[in-house]
Structure formats: structure tokens, C-alpha cells
Amino acid sequence: MDSAGEKGLAGRPRVLVPEKLSPDGLALLRTTLDVDERKGLSPADLLSIIGQYDALLIRSETKVTEQLLQAAKKLKVVARAGVGVDNVDVKAATQLGVIVVNSPSGNVGAAAEHTIALLMALARNVPDACASLKGEKWERSRLVGIEVKGKTLGIIGLGKVGLIVARLARGLGMNVIALDPYASPAVAQSANVILVSSLEDLLPLVDFLTIHTPLITATKGMISSHELNQMKPGSRVLNVARGGVFDELALLAALESGHIAGAGIDVFTTEPPHKEPDSSAALLIAHPRCIATPHLGASTVEAQENVSIDVCEQVLHILAGDLPRSAVNAPLILPAEYKTLQPFVKLVEKMGSLYTQHYTGRKQSSPRDTFDLIYQGEIATVSNTKPLFAALVKGLTAPISDHAAGNVNIVNAELISKERGIFINEKKSRDASAQTYSSLITLIARPPSRSTSFSRGKSGSVFTNPAEAMGEASQHIISGYCSDNSPHISRIDRFATSFVPEGNLLICHNYDSPGKIGVVGSILGREGVNINFMAVAPARYSSNAIDVQPVDGSITPAKDRTNESLMILGVDKEVEDKVIKDLVSEGGVLNVNSVAL
């Protein structure tokens, strides 16, 4: 090791930078910290020296494994100059008390501008025209384009990137409509964006379509043949979000038929696509009406500088004992409280994600914007419930917006709630004397409110019966508890159950008749889907109301109980739409939702 890396000034924290970062950010660190730039380290080299450092700054190449974190005895923070933290073992870092931060906003402007660049390139045939002219051709009549002024841009996911795209498009004179169940109506109105409630309302109206969502089960293949066929003939599509939100083969077919006039694609299911020449990504890129770029959405000088400065500032704050702006994990409470809360943080996040995926899918009911989060039993005695509040916001928003799951934490949860128009009221019952569960958490989702303004409910408020939190019975309810630090779901609306919310799940609503389980099992087996576990949830509650379950945990017999039930199946892989359709048609199931937790 060189002398700079061997020993810094006495008492100054040390920072290791094994990848190239913008010098502007590193200059900030050098004012109070010792910074060692050690590019080209092998994993073994990194492992041998990591124990000397208080902070580690990385981009995408360095793998921060559990083994590395175990060896990093002094490490307080891992800072990722960018958004994704797939190369960091966040769970191990959390267990070891290492804060993981990223820069979720540093490159949003770059991604939005690249979206507009592809939009304009499609409209005016820029790449084709350039290639033609370089080929010594003069094809003005063949390359006539269209103007974007007066055209309609449809945006799926009105988060940070989507909102900037909307404002840029408005500046070009475009009309903008958007689909996002948690978009704030006030923010949308301020950007002159019209919100719609479904893909069916959005797709037939747009001349250009762009998506800005994460890639999860609910968004994978979101735009396929059915959706593309709903679009206007001659419309165009853009993807600067995640490879896979468009069904690449369906898009290729739509381009071949001419129904879709063009596609501007920056992200692919296979990257780099040439690794698999026969992949859907490679075939799509080869199409003459596809303008393709090699994942350049965040690749600007300014974006790289922004993310470097952002994470370097956070490292300074954390090493000074302050809170970070963008903690991916958030062990920023007292150790004793964190130990108590940790399993419930996971539970509440799963409950929020389960709600969003189960209830607000394309064929489900309209989204709610008002939620009650009710704590009963021992969990109600914890004074700091901010991690639970943050976990709910994280679970609710991660499946449907470009706030990636790791970007919501106790630092920014209330801000994100305000931005998304989500109202969460926390309530407590400290009477645990007769609880069936030592701690029970219930999430109640109310119908959309036109007049609700953001306010975080007072977590110290105490009530004696959860019925105080309820209005009409059109709300949705999910309850859960923890057993041996493992989260369990105990209720979904009228149905009583007990299952661990983990992995790929199928939630089947069906009539509870003999042989139903066997029929469903045979259909899944025929399609090569293995069932890891199954839980049957009978209709044990009289309605979608919480007052049928008193605080003592007893269950009132349902007066209007039917022979309906839920069948919750844990499966070994994502289930395709065709299989879900077969379950409904052949299996006699009322409806099926696929959920990834």
C-alpha cells in the first residue's frame, strides 16, 4: 500500500474510493477526511484493507458482500454514487449497523432529458436521417417527420423522473396525461398534467407513451400485445426506465405490423443485448423503426457530478453524527428500540406492498389515499414509530413509482407521503391484557378523499377499540403479527388466514367447494409451477370492517358468511398471465392476483 493509504492524519476518519468518482465530490471529503483512491483493487485486496476505513464510496463495479462487511470493523457507511444498490448486501449492512446511502435524485434530470431526446429523435427521424446522409443519400421526402406540439404524451409513473418529463413535454407544447395511483392531484395540476385512473383510459388517447416505474412482478410486461393494440395506429413508445416493462416481442410485432410507428428504447431485458444475439432485446434493436441507446439515461457529466457530490455530502454528515438524506437502510434509532421494531418494520412494509399489488392492479379497485395504521399490544408501547410509518410508505409506493424501494426511509418518508398525497393516521391501543397476539398491526385503506391534505397522524393517540378508526365498509383491511421475528399476515378483508408474506404468491378468490385445491394444483403442475406452501383463508368476518374483531382478539361469527374463501399459494416462480387465465376459466376461481414480496 502507498503511504497515502497506509496512514492518514491522526484522528481523521478514512474513506476508501475503489472506483472512479467525480473529483468535485472527493474535494468536499478531503477538507475533513482522509481519502484513499485505490482503483483496480481485486476482491481479495479490498477484503484485506477494508478494516482500516470508516466509509466506502462505490459505483456499480465493487461488490459489497457480507464477508466484506464482516471484515469492515470500523465501517460506518457505504455510499453508492447512483441509485441502484444491487451490488451491496443491504441486509448484512443493516444487521451490522452500517448505513447504506445512495443518490436517488442526482440523475433524474438526465433520465428525463434522455426521454425527451428519444421522443424528438423518433418524431423527426434523426438517426435514420443521419445515417442516410452519411451514406451519401439525400432522402428528404422519405424522412418527413411529425411535430410534437399539440400531440399527447402519456406517462405511466408520475414520480421524480416522470414529473420532469411532463414539464419538459409541456414546454414543447404537448398535452400530458398520466397514470399513477399515488400521484398528488395538486402536483399534477401544477404541472398541467391530467391524471387518469387506468390503462384503458390512458392508452387510446396518447401519441407518445413513456413509462417511469420500477421493474417488479406487477410492472413486468405491463405493456404487451393487448395494451399496444389499444393505442392509436401510428403512435410511438419510449422506455428509459427498466428493461422488461415492455414485452419486447410484443413491441417488435407491433413495429413489424406498423401499428406502432416507432420505439425509443434505452433499457433492455438483456444488457448488453449482443451477448444473446437471438434475444428479444437484440431482435428489437435490429428493427429499423427502433431507436436504441445503450442505457444512457443517467450518463451525463452533470449527473455523475451530482451523484458524487450528493453521496460525499451524506458521508460527511454521517461521519459527523448527522442523519443522511437517502438512507437505503435506516438503523437511526436507539438500539433497544430498533431491536423491538425490526421485525415489525419488515411486516409493515410487506403489508403496504401487499395492499398495492393486491388491490391496485389493473383489474382491481381504485386506489386509496387515506390509511389507518393501528398498533395493538406491546408494539403500541414503543415511542418511536417513524420506522413503521416509513416502512408503510415504502411498501405502498415501491411497486408503482420510480421511488425505488430502497429510497424511502425515516428521513424522507413524510416528504414522499406529502408528494404522493398519502395520508397516514397512526393509532395505538396499549391494552394487551387479552390480546390473541402479543402485538398486532392493522392497515386500513379508505376510499380516495378529495379534500384530504397531508398530515401524519399522532402516533401517541390512544383508543380502546379499533372501530373508532373506521368509516364505511368499502375500505380494505390487512392485519399482521410477528412470530419468532418472522412477519405473518392474519387477515385480508373478510378472510382470516396466517401466512408469511415472502416470495411469489398467488392469491385466489374462490368458492370454498370440494376439489378446488386439487384443480388449482393440477393446473399449476401442468405449467411447471411448484407450490411451496398453501394457506386457505375462510370468510370469517361479516364485512370489510374492523369492528368485528374486538381489542381482545376474539372473532365475532360472521352473520353474512358465504362459502367464499381465499387460497394463498406460495409458488417457486412468477406465474404468467396465461396460467392465471386458466385458473379462472378451468379452475373455477373468481379472480387471481400475482404478488411478489
Side-chain angles (χ1 to χ4, degrees):
M1 181 185 294
D2 56 31
S3 59
E6 185 66 34
K7 184 178 181 180
L9 297 176
R12 284 165 59 108
R14 300 181 64 186
V15 181
L16 178 63
V17 185
E19 300 183 57
K20 182 180 179 181
L21 263 70
S22 167
D24 292 343
L26 298 181
L28 291 175
L29 297 181
R30 288 194 170 98
T31 58
T32 56
L33 308 175
D34 287 332
V35 179
D36 293 349
E37 293 186 77
R38 301 292 304 276
K39 302 179 186 66
L41 291 173
S42 69
D45 292 337
L46 182 60
L47 186 65
S48 68
I49 65 173
I50 192 62
Q52 307 170 40
Y53 293 94
D54 300 273
L56 174 64
L57 270 69
I58 62 170
R59 292 181 66 183
S60 58
E61 294 180 6
T62 304
K63 307 300 181 186
V64 184
T65 63
E66 181 177 5
Q67 182 186 19
L68 184 68
L69 290 164
Q70 291 283 0
K73 302 301 182 182
K74 296 175 60 179
L75 198 64
K76 299 177 180 65
V77 55
V78 174
R80 161 72 164 98
V83 178
V85 290
D86 295 343
N87 54 326
V88 180
D89 190 329
V90 177
K91 180 179 179 181
T94 302
Q95 292 172 340
L96 295 168
V98 177
I99 301 171
V100 180
V101 299
N102 64 353
S103 181
S105 302
N107 55 22
V108 295
E113 288 187 5
H114 196 66
T115 303
I116 297 298
L118 289 176
L119 183 150
M120 293 302 302
L122 280 174
R124 300 307 297 269
N125 300 311
V126 173
D128 192 2
C130 180
S132 172
L133 193 58
K134 288 179 181 289
E136 300 182 355
K137 299 177 183 178
W138 191 258
E139 301 178 292
R140 294 180 65 196
S141 60
R142 185 179 72 83
L143 296 166
V144 173
I146 62 169
E147 294 184 14
V148 300
K149 182 180 179 181
K151 301 299 191 299
T152 298
L153 173 65
I155 301 175
I156 300 176
L158 199 65
K160 292 181 179 179
V161 177
L163 193 59
I164 296 174
V165 169
R167 287 171 173 153
L168 293 173
R170 287 292 300 168
L172 292 171
M174 301 187 77
N175 304 309
V176 181
I177 59 178
L179 172 62
D180 186 329
Y182 291 123
S184 165
V187 172
Q189 184 178 13
S190 70
N192 293 310
V193 175
I194 298 173
L195 291 174
V196 297
S197 59
S198 70
L199 283 173
E200 288 74 15
D201 294 333
L202 179 87
L203 296 176
L205 302 178
V206 305
D207 301 291
F208 291 84
L209 174 68
T210 182
I211 301 182
H212 300 284
T213 67
L215 181 66
I216 59 171
T217 298
T219 61
K220 184 177 181 181
M222 173 190 292
I223 305 300
S224 191
S225 300
H226 175 72
E227 290 74 25
L228 291 169
N229 288 335
Q230 294 181 57
M231 298 180 68
K232 297 178 183 178
S235 53
R236 295 162 172 84
V237 300
L238 306 157
N239 186 10
V240 187
R242 294 289 184 270
V245 293
F246 279 88
D247 181 327
E248 290 171 336
L249 290 177
L251 178 55
L252 180 62
L255 290 171
E256 288 281 0
S257 71
H259 181 73
I260 298 298
I265 310 295
D266 184 52
V267 287
F268 307 91
T269 54
T270 302
E271 293 186 358
H274 61 260
K275 291 194 303 185
E276 298 180 21
D278 295 327
S279 67
S280 58
L283 295 173
L284 181 61
I285 289 169
H287 196 278
R289 286 196 291 274
C290 177
I291 298 174
T293 52
H295 206 144
L296 297 180
S299 296
T300 65
V301 172
E302 293 84 356
Q304 299 306 314
E305 290 177 350
N306 289 341
V307 297
S308 176
I309 291 172
D310 186 14
V311 295
C312 288
E313 287 178 345
Q314 291 190 74
V315 168
L316 286 172
H317 293 158
I318 292 168
L319 294 183
D322 298 327
L323 299 179
R325 288 190 299 270
S326 300
V328 174
N329 55 354
L332 302 174
I333 56 176
L334 295 175
E337 280 196 327
Y338 185 75
K339 183 177 181 180
T340 301
L341 284 173
Q342 190 172 22
F344 294 98
V345 168
K346 183 178 180 181
L347 169 65
V348 173
E349 181 184 341
K350 298 285 189 181
M351 290 168 67
S353 184
L354 175 60
Y355 166 78
T356 293
Q357 295 186 61
H358 182 52
Y359 290 114
T360 65
R362 283 171 284 177
K363 298 181 181 180
Q364 293 300 313
S365 59
S366 60
R368 272 57 171 157
D369 61 8
T370 303
F371 299 88
D372 290 330
L373 193 58
I374 302 173
Y375 311 123
Q376 294 176 256
E378 294 177 3
I379 190 65
T381 65
V382 177
S383 59
N384 184 357
T385 59
K386 283 187 177 181
L388 300 178
F389 177 92
L392 179 57
V393 177
K394 180 177 178 181
L396 289 172
T397 60
I400 44 79
S401 78
D402 63 3
H403 285 299
N407 296 339
V408 182
N409 52 69
I410 65 172
V411 178
N412 61 10
E414 292 196 25
L415 176 61
I416 291 173
S417 296
K418 186 174 182 179
E419 290 177 348
R420 313 301 277 177
I422 300 172
F423 180 92
I424 299 174
N425 186 37
E426 295 177 279
K427 293 192 174 185
K428 295 182 176 182
S429 172
R430 293 190 176 93
D431 181 12
S433 57
Q435 284 273 337
T436 301
Y437 309 106
S438 59
S439 293
L440 183 71
I441 297 180
T442 297
L443 173 65
I444 303 170
R446 299 184 182 183
S449 169
R450 295 181 180 178
S451 59
T452 301
S453 59
F454 170 81
S455 174
R456 181 173 183 235
K458 295 181 180 179
S459 60
S461 61
V462 179
F463 67 102
T464 57
N465 192 316
E468 295 175 14
M470 300 301 295
E472 61 272 23
S474 60
Q475 52 220 345
H476 297 305
I477 299 171
I478 299 175
S479 294
Y481 64 95
C482 289
S483 176
D484 295 326
N485 291 330
S486 177
H488 290 72
I489 300 299
S490 60
R491 174 179 178 178
I492 300 177
D493 284 339
R494 296 181 296 118
F495 303 97
T497 184
S498 180
F499 68 92
V500 176
E502 194 72 48
N504 293 305
L505 303 178
L506 285 180
I507 301 178
C508 306
H509 182 196
N510 55 270
Y511 290 113
D512 191 8
S513 56
K516 190 72 64 182
I517 294 173
V519 173
V520 170
S522 65
I523 292 173
L524 293 177
R526 182 184 69 200
E527 299 295 334
V529 179
N530 292 320
I531 300 175
N532 297 327
F533 74 85
M534 182 190 70
V536 175
R540 192 170 293 176
Y541 302 91
S542 60
S543 65
N544 288 358
I546 197 71
D547 52 2
V548 297
Q549 184 179 12
V551 173
D552 65 6
S554 62
I555 297 175
T556 302
K559 297 179 181 179
D560 62 344
R561 181 185 302 167
T562 70
N563 64 336
E564 296 177 17
S565 68
L566 293 183
M567 191 186 311
I568 297 98
L569 303 170
V571 294
D572 65 342
K573 61 182 178 181
E574 180 185 347
V575 176
E576 298 178 353
D577 288 344
K578 174 186 178 299
V579 182
I580 292 177
K581 291 177 181 177
D582 289 346
L583 289 172
V584 174
S585 59
E586 299 179 37
V589 177
L590 297 174
N591 60 67
V592 180
N593 279 317
S594 177
V595 175
L597 298 172

